[in-house]
Amino acid sequence: MENDFLIRRSTARDIDRIMEVYESAKYYMRTQGNFRQWTGGYPERGNILTDIAHWSHYLAEDEEGNILMVFSFILGVDPTYKVIENGKWINDKPYGTIHRIASSGLRGGMLKICVDFCKEMTDNIRIDTHADNSPMLNALNKLKFTFCGIIYTAEGSPRLAFQKDFRPNITMEIDFRSED
């Protein structure tokens, strides 16, 4: 089951199926008590087509062509992450950001699969979610992401921000005392 799917860049031809996954994910969020995230038609078709045009939207599909998950992964500075309240980022090293991740519900563990894929491009990953998104919060905790503070979307909505740096934290202790 480990290798019976493929993660690839999305294309404009995938847009209808991608939007079905987002609609299904929104429905699932509502059943979990998350009524405030992804409202007002977000994510819109235009958001996804822009991500596709910038080569930053991906999908995972199984051997039968069923979409298992969709997400955007953007390398570089995220403008909404420049200001963080009630905390701070782990570091200011170059990073990638996972946005608009949604599972079709056909298989569990999609966030881990997404993170493992993204970590091949950078070892420093940031992500945010709504405070009401308990399934995502549980998954981030399970994957040992660090809560860093609160950021605000372009529309001004607060999000809980997380980061994980996969680089080993190597420290050396050198004893400069002379043995004389």
Side-chain angles (χ1 to χ4, degrees), residues 82-94:
K82 286 187 177 184
V83 175
I84 187 165
E85 293 181 352
N86 300 324
K88 65 178 187 170
W89 296 111
I90 294 172
N91 60 52
D92 292 322
K93 297 174 184 171

Side-chain angles (χ1 to χ4, degrees), residues 144-159:
K144 299 188 182 334
F145 271 75
T146 300
F147 172 70
C148 295
I150 299 171
I151 59 101
Y152 292 87
T153 65
E155 294 77 32
S157 179
R159 294 291 185 267

Side-chain angles (χ1 to χ4, degrees), residues 4-151:
D4 61 346
F5 63 88
L6 168 75
I7 297 178
R8 66 171 174 83
R9 283 198 168 102
S10 304
T11 69
R13 288 187 306 272
D14 300 315
I15 192 68
D16 290 335
R17 295 185 322 136
I18 290 168
M19 296 312 294
E20 288 174 12
V21 172
Y22 283 119
E23 287 306 312
S24 174
K26 286 193 263 188
Y27 175 78
Y28 177 74
M29 279 195 263
R30 304 305 177 254
T31 67
Q32 301 300 303
N34 184 355
F35 296 98
R36 296 183 294 167
Q37 186 175 359
W38 288 5
T39 60
Y42 183 88
E44 296 174 358
R45 210 176 171 88
N47 300 123
I48 306 313
L49 288 170
T50 297
D51 287 348
I52 290 171
H54 290 111
W55 295 87
S56 62
H57 197 273
Y58 298 85
L59 61 82
E61 58 188 354
D62 65 17
E63 294 169 328
E64 289 82 41
N66 299 306
I67 295 179
L68 304 174
M69 95 175 124
V70 296
F71 62 95
S72 295
F73 185 63
I74 302 160
L75 291 167
V77 175
D78 185 319
T80 60
Y81 286 10
K82 286 187 177 184
V83 175
I84 187 165
E85 293 181 352
N86 300 324
K88 65 178 187 170
W89 296 111
I90 294 172
N91 60 52
D92 292 322
K93 297 174 184 171
Y95 62 92
T97 306
I98 298 170
H99 281 301
R100 294 179 280 286
I101 182 168
S103 169
S104 65
L106 295 175
R107 186 177 301 173
M110 290 292 102
L111 180 61
K112 180 179 182 341
I113 290 168
C114 175
V115 168
D116 287 346
F117 174 80
C118 295
K119 137 176 127 170
E120 294 298 316
M121 291 181 262
T122 182
D123 45 18
N124 198 16
I125 297 175
R126 294 181 182 182
I127 188 169
D128 65 84
T129 193
H130 198 281
D132 293 341
N133 194 341
S134 57
M136 177 62 82
L137 292 170
N138 290 335
L140 290 167
N141 184 53
K142 185 177 179 181
L143 294 175
K144 299 188 182 334
F145 271 75
T146 300
F147 172 70
C148 295
I150 299 171
I151 59 101

